[in-house]
Amino acid sequence: MPTLGSKIPTIAPDSTHLPRILCLHGGGVNAAIFKAQSRSLIRHLQHSFRLVWADAPFFCDPHPDVIQVYGSYGPFRRWLRWLNEHAGVDAESCIDEIGYSIRTAMEEDDREGGRGEWVGLMGFSQGAKLAASILLEQQAREDKARREGKKEWDTCSIGIPGLNWRFGVLLAGRAPLLNLNPGLMTSQALVSTANIAEGFEFVGSVDDDSMLKQPTIHVLGMADPGLHLHRRLYEEYCEEGTKILVEWEGAHRVPIKSDTVDRVVGAIYEVSEDKGVDITWTVDRRSSWTYAE
């Protein structure tokens, strides 16, 4: 496998008309922290995408991993419950709150001049789970429209019509996926947003209705204590032939070292081009990017 080399332009372009990626932070942090954590990815991706950072709706204590560096960056937020002490909320209200927070970030970016198409989702940890679940919910509505012979899908739970997410970048994303449309999605392989995000008895096998078929890039740290759940998302919830795996020798954090970042960025560019997005390559193309089996 040839080594990837960076070739980042010295000046970032005007991002107004670039295709947009919605970025979803993990639990116990916020959008500003995720942006800071992603600085090495941003150096590359800003030449091809406009990155938009959304804040989750629910407040919580800071994640223990970020206190030392980002302890002054509060308030800290979460998309979902992962601890028993997190206040309960019913599924419909949780989905509404998540949709409102995401819609607010997207509409704010429109007001700030963003005009590019929304093409991708990038999430870390809890945000990666949510990103993959948004893709799955879109897939369910698309399948419904196809069954009914319709040319257009219903509006998504975010509440913005006409969205067509092309791919997801899942940094340390855990199984199981969320049910973001209980009126349509009935699979027992999905967890309700009202529940603890990992408080879930896994089913014997994931059915086709819960199998994500949109392109996904999975970035897995080999020293991450949640690695077994990250592997389950990759292996059980994403269809063969649609996923790229990037493994690196790190813990539960966003990669910043150039060798790993170059591989992640190269995978994003490859998937983007395959989905019809114009890209400015800031790393050398690998001779044969292939989807992991």
Side-chain angles (χ1 to χ4, degrees), residues 209-230:
D209 289 342
S210 296
M211 184 69 65
L212 185 55
K213 302 174 179 66
Q214 285 276 55
T216 49
I217 299 151
H218 300 250
V219 183
L220 276 59
M222 296 299 97
D224 194 315
L227 179 61
H228 64 294
L229 292 174
H230 306 162

Side-chain angles (χ1 to χ4, degrees), residues 1 15 21 30 40 51 70 73 98 109 119 121 124-125 142 153 167 169 198 203 213-214 225 257 260:
M1 180 187 301
S15 67
I21 292 178
N30 55 41
S40 295
L51 304 174
Y70 298 109
Y73 277 57
I98 289 172
D109 191 63
V119 296
L121 295 146
F124 174 72
S125 191
E142 184 179 1
W153 318 330
F167 60 87
V169 183
E198 276 78 46
V203 295
K213 302 174 179 66
Q214 285 276 55
K257 291 187 177 180
T260 303

Side-chain angles (χ1 to χ4, degrees), residues 51-240:
L51 304 174
V52 179
W53 310 83
D55 270 319
F58 304 111
F59 295 108
C60 65
D61 291 335
H63 193 287
D65 290 350
V66 305
I67 292 175
Q68 183 174 359
V69 177
Y70 298 109
S72 62
Y73 277 57
F76 305 94
R77 298 171 179 266
R78 60 179 175 84
W79 301 99
L80 307 160
R81 300 171 65 214
W82 78 89
L83 298 174
N84 286 325
E85 55 261 36
H86 291 156
V89 60
D90 64 90
E92 181 179 1
S93 297
C94 185
I95 293 169
D96 286 346
E97 292 290 344
I98 289 172
Y100 178 78
S101 292
I102 290 176
R103 188 168 64 253
T104 298
M106 296 171 72
E107 292 173 348
E108 178 63 26
D109 191 63
D110 288 344
R111 288 190 289 272
E112 292 179 359
R115 293 294 178 266
E117 182 184 4
W118 295 96
V119 296
L121 295 146
M122 181 171 76
F124 174 72
S125 191
Q126 193 177 91
K129 179 198 290 283
L130 178 57
S133 301
I134 290 172
L135 289 174
L136 184 66
E137 194 272 342
Q138 174 178 288
Q139 179 178 296
R141 288 182 290 108
E142 184 179 1
D143 289 345
K144 177 177 180 285
R146 188 180 299 112
R147 290 193 305 269
E148 296 176 351
K150 296 180 180 178
K151 294 182 179 180
E152 296 182 357
W153 318 330
D154 296 333
T155 299
C156 65
S157 55
I158 295 171
I160 296 179
L163 292 176
N164 181 19
W165 303 108
R166 314 277 186 86
F167 60 87
V169 183
L170 312 180
L171 307 163
R174 294 185 173 194
L177 293 185
L178 305 163
N179 188 337
L180 294 178
N181 193 335
L184 173 63
M185 306 167 75
T186 59
S187 173
Q188 296 303 303
L190 305 177
V191 65
S192 169
T193 55
N195 295 346
I196 299 292
E198 276 78 46
F200 182 77
E201 186 69 30
F202 278 96
V203 295
S205 62
V206 175
D207 55 57
D208 187 67
D209 289 342
S210 296
M211 184 69 65
L212 185 55
K213 302 174 179 66
Q214 285 276 55
T216 49
I217 299 151
H218 300 250
V219 183
L220 276 59
M222 296 299 97
D224 194 315
L227 179 61
H228 64 294
L229 292 174
H230 306 162
R231 289 201 182 281
R232 293 196 77 154
L233 175 59
Y234 172 78
E235 293 170 357
E236 299 180 25
Y237 282 84
C238 298
E239 188 171 71
E240 298 294 345

